[in-house]
Short mmCIF file of all heavy atoms in Angstrom, two decimals:
data_model
loop_
_atom_site.label_atom_id
_atom_site.label_comp_id
_atom_site.label_asym_id
_atom_site.label_seq_id
_atom_site.Cartn_x
_atom_site.Cartn_y
_atom_site.Cartn_z
N THR Y 4 -6.57 -57.49 -27.25
CA THR Y 4 -6.66 -56.95 -25.90
C THR Y 4 -7.22 -55.55 -25.96
O THR Y 4 -6.90 -54.77 -26.85
CB THR Y 4 -5.28 -56.92 -25.21
OG1 THR Y 4 -4.42 -56.13 -26.00
CG2 THR Y 4 -4.72 -58.30 -25.03
N LEU Y 69 17.64 4.83 -10.49
CA LEU Y 69 16.97 4.31 -11.68
C LEU Y 69 15.88 3.32 -11.32
O LEU Y 69 14.88 3.20 -12.04
CB LEU Y 69 18.00 3.66 -12.62
CG LEU Y 69 19.03 4.63 -13.21
CD1 LEU Y 69 20.02 3.86 -14.09
CD2 LEU Y 69 18.38 5.76 -13.97
N TYR Y 97 19.78 7.93 -0.64
CA TYR Y 97 21.05 8.03 0.09
C TYR Y 97 21.09 7.07 1.29
O TYR Y 97 22.12 6.46 1.56
CB TYR Y 97 21.31 9.48 0.53
CG TYR Y 97 22.16 10.22 -0.46
CD1 TYR Y 97 21.63 10.69 -1.66
CD2 TYR Y 97 23.51 10.42 -0.23
CE1 TYR Y 97 22.41 11.35 -2.57
CE2 TYR Y 97 24.30 11.09 -1.14
CZ TYR Y 97 23.75 11.54 -2.32
OH TYR Y 97 24.54 12.18 -3.23
N PHE Y 151 19.14 14.53 -14.78
CA PHE Y 151 18.88 14.32 -13.35
C PHE Y 151 17.54 13.62 -13.19
O PHE Y 151 16.69 13.63 -14.08
CB PHE Y 151 18.91 15.64 -12.58
CG PHE Y 151 17.76 16.59 -12.88
CD1 PHE Y 151 16.70 16.73 -12.00
CD2 PHE Y 151 17.75 17.35 -14.05
CE1 PHE Y 151 15.66 17.60 -12.27
CE2 PHE Y 151 16.71 18.23 -14.33
CZ PHE Y 151 15.66 18.35 -13.44
N ARG Y 165 16.41 16.82 -18.25
CA ARG Y 165 17.72 17.39 -18.58
C ARG Y 165 17.90 18.73 -17.88
O ARG Y 165 16.93 19.48 -17.74
CB ARG Y 165 17.85 17.55 -20.09
CG ARG Y 165 17.87 16.21 -20.84
CD ARG Y 165 18.12 16.38 -22.31
NE ARG Y 165 19.30 17.16 -22.60
CZ ARG Y 165 20.55 16.64 -22.65
NH1 ARG Y 165 20.74 15.37 -22.44
NH2 ARG Y 165 21.58 17.43 -22.90
N SER Y 172 16.45 24.89 -16.45
CA SER Y 172 17.65 25.73 -16.57
C SER Y 172 17.38 27.14 -16.05
O SER Y 172 18.26 27.77 -15.47
CB SER Y 172 18.16 25.75 -18.00
OG SER Y 172 17.23 26.37 -18.86
N ARG Y 174 15.52 27.89 -13.56
CA ARG Y 174 15.31 27.81 -12.12
C ARG Y 174 16.47 27.13 -11.37
O ARG Y 174 16.41 26.96 -10.17
CB ARG Y 174 14.00 27.08 -11.84
CG ARG Y 174 12.80 27.90 -12.28
CD ARG Y 174 11.55 27.04 -12.45
NE ARG Y 174 10.41 27.85 -12.83
CZ ARG Y 174 10.18 28.29 -14.07
NH1 ARG Y 174 11.00 27.99 -15.05
NH2 ARG Y 174 9.11 29.02 -14.33
#
Side-chain angles (χ1 to χ4, degrees):
T4 58
L69 295 178
Y97 266 77
F151 69 103
R165 294 185 53 85
S172 65
R174 291 161 178 80

